[in-house]
Amino acid sequence: VTVSITFARRAPELRAILIMMPEYYRHDIPSGGRLRSLTSAFPLLDGDWAIYTNLRWVKILMEEPSSDLTDYIAGGTYEFSYPVLVPELVPDKPEWYVSLCRNYDCEDPNDGSELTGSVVATFPIWNSADILEAQSFTGRVATSGTYPRSFFASSTLRLVLISLLLLAI
C-alpha cells in the first residue's frame, strides 16, 4: 500500500504520523516486508524512524527540531509504502485513519483530549481506488491469537489514502 499525505502549508509541532488500517487488515512488515519513505524531504527520525509492533497500525517518527523556528513539517506531499495483508471478508468499517501526533506516544486515533492528548488531528480515509482481486497468501500468518488467520495478500494493491489540506492546526 502507498499512503500519500499532502500538506497545503507547513504543519507545526508534529512528532509522528499514525496510520491505522481497517479492522482485520494487517501490515506485513515483520514478515520480511519493508516500510519505505518514498519522499526524501520528509524529516524522519535518525535511526529507527518507524514503530510497527502492532499489526493494525504503523507509526512514522519525525526528527526533533533544532529550534522552535524549525518546529514544523514543510508543505508538500509525502509518501510511505509497506505491504498489507487484506482480509478475506470486507470489514464493517473499511476506512483507514491518519493521525497527526504531537509526541511519539500516540497509538490510537482517539488518543487523549485536544489539549493534553497525543493526537492533534485524525482524518478518516475511505478507499476510493479500485482494489484488485487478492491473491491467495500461502504460508502462516503469525498473530497474537485474537485476529482471524485467513488473509489474502495483494502485491498490486495501491491506495492513495489521503490528501490533507491543512490550513491551520
Side-chain angles (χ1 to χ4, degrees), residues 51-71:
I51 298 174
Y52 45 85
T53 52
N54 184 316
L55 296 177
R56 181 99 188 274
W57 53 254
V58 171
K59 187 176 359 177
I60 298 159
L61 307 176
M62 296 176 225
E63 68 183 354
E64 289 284 338
S66 57
S67 75
D68 287 344
L69 296 175
T70 60
D71 194 3

Side-chain angles (χ1 to χ4, degrees), residues 28 31 85 134-142 149-154:
D28 194 29
S31 300
L85 299 175
Q135 301 168 357
S136 182
F137 178 70
T138 57
R140 296 186 173 255
V141 176
R149 296 184 185 275
S150 175
F151 284 90
F152 288 100
S154 174

Side-chain angles (χ1 to χ4, degrees), residues 7 13 30 32 44 53 62 70 73 87 97-98 101 126 132 136 151 156 162 164-167:
F7 294 94
E13 302 175 7
L44 294 172
T53 52
M62 296 176 225
T70 60
I73 297 175
Y97 291 93
V98 173
C101 307
W126 291 271
L132 302 176
S136 182
F151 284 90
T156 56
I162 186 169
L164 297 178
L165 299 177
L166 294 178
L167 299 178

